Amino acid sequence: MFSSNLSAFFLPGLIHQFGNLLLTVQGNVLHVQPDGIDDMRESVLGAVKRGSASLDIVRALLGDESSDVGLAPTLLSELIELARVPLRERGLTLTFEEEESGDAWVYSTTFVTVCANALRAWVTTLPAASDGAVRVRIGRASDGRVKVRLDFQPAPGSLPFPLMSEKVASVLSELTREAGASVEVNTTDDDLEIRFAVVGPMQSFQP
């Protein structure tokens, strides 16, 4: 499902990352020495690989209906990198924790779109001038699915306030209906958990 608001939310992070990657490529090309060709090649290829991975994330955000599958921790890590700038602009930090998940392959477009909508909704439902960290964790649930959990850790001394996990879940309801049984959303007073069905690496997404 395409959403201009969703893609606009992550756009500052994409611009920031691409700017850094272009500077990396430029610096390597301008300062390469005859005996440093191999190192330059590795650095430039690394920058291209990161840029390509981000483009795949953006394609999913723009509604590309791809049937490819990808490794859930890798996909989420790339999405998190694009989210750091818009969160920083709101005075928030973003932490990412990976528990043991093994080779957890998921449908990349569904996974990225649902996680991106969840993260944006979670951030935008926080009260204005909130001070603290949004925490995203990924691991395996007891039923074998991939689980992604979001919560908020207020800065020390901040006044407590109720989180809006139910509101975030309602934002995801249309997406989860489209995904069917492959996506499940659960909420508590403190966090949001999304579970994704694990699939085989039939057409592997390679960031």
Side-chain angles (χ1 to χ4, degrees), residues 79-138:
L79 183 67
I80 291 295
E81 288 306 307
L82 297 183
R84 293 191 187 282
V85 172
L87 263 72
R88 187 165 63 239
E89 292 175 348
R90 289 167 168 78
L92 300 167
T93 57
L94 180 59
T95 65
F96 177 52
E97 300 176 9
E98 182 181 346
E99 302 169 1
E100 181 59 40
S101 57
D103 293 334
W105 296 86
V106 293
Y107 289 112
S108 57
T109 300
T110 298
F111 181 83
V112 169
T113 303
V114 172
C115 288
N117 275 280
L119 182 55
R120 176 181 175 274
W122 190 262
V123 171
T124 55
T125 54
L126 291 173
S130 298
D131 186 14
V134 174
R135 182 172 59 170
V136 181
R137 291 173 287 173
I138 185 170

Side-chain angles (χ1 to χ4, degrees), residues 59-74:
R59 288 191 184 101
L61 297 179
L62 292 175
D64 178 25
E65 294 296 333
S66 171
S67 61
D68 287 357
V69 300
L71 286 170
T74 302

Side-chain angles (χ1 to χ4, degrees), residues 92 122 126 130-134 150-154 161 163 190:
L92 300 167
W122 190 262
L126 291 173
S130 298
D131 186 14
V134 174
L150 285 80
D151 63 21
F152 179 70
Q153 299 175 305
F161 54 84
L163 296 174
D190 300 317

Side-chain angles (χ1 to χ4, degrees), residues 12-186:
L14 180 68
I15 293 173
H16 177 80
Q17 185 187 86
F18 271 28
N20 287 340
L21 294 177
L22 287 173
L23 287 175
T24 298
V25 172
Q26 182 186 51
N28 277 275
V29 171
L30 290 178
H31 301 101
V32 64
Q33 300 297 319
D35 60 350
I37 297 295
D38 290 340
D39 289 340
M40 182 203 72
R41 181 184 296 112
E42 289 300 314
S43 182
V44 170
L45 287 176
V48 171
K49 182 178 180 181
R50 286 193 63 197
S52 297
S54 293
L55 278 179
D56 283 313
I57 296 296
V58 172
R59 288 191 184 101
L61 297 179
L62 292 175
D64 178 25
E65 294 296 333
S66 171
S67 61
D68 287 357
V69 300
L71 286 170
T74 302
L75 293 170
L76 187 56
S77 175
E78 294 292 341
L79 183 67
I80 291 295
E81 288 306 307
L82 297 183
R84 293 191 187 282
V85 172
L87 263 72
R88 187 165 63 239
E89 292 175 348
R90 289 167 168 78
L92 300 167
T93 57
L94 180 59
T95 65
F96 177 52
E97 300 176 9
E98 182 181 346
E99 302 169 1
E100 181 59 40
S101 57
D103 293 334
W105 296 86
V106 293
Y107 289 112
S108 57
T109 300
T110 298
F111 181 83
V112 169
T113 303
V114 172
C115 288
N117 275 280
L119 182 55
R120 176 181 175 274
W122 190 262
V123 171
T124 55
T125 54
L126 291 173
S130 298
D131 186 14
V134 174
R135 182 172 59 170
V136 181
R137 291 173 287 173
I138 185 170
R140 280 293 185 98
S142 57
D143 60 3
R145 295 187 176 201
V146 174
K147 63 177 180 180
V148 176
R149 299 181 67 187
L150 285 80
D151 63 21
F152 179 70
Q153 299 175 305
S158 298
L159 294 175
F161 54 84
L163 296 174
M164 305 293 287
S165 55
E166 288 291 344
K167 184 176 181 179
V168 176
S170 69
V171 171
L172 300 178
S173 60
E174 186 171 352
L175 287 173
T176 55
R177 281 197 301 271
E178 291 179 357
S182 65
V183 181
E184 176 186 340
V185 178
N186 298 296

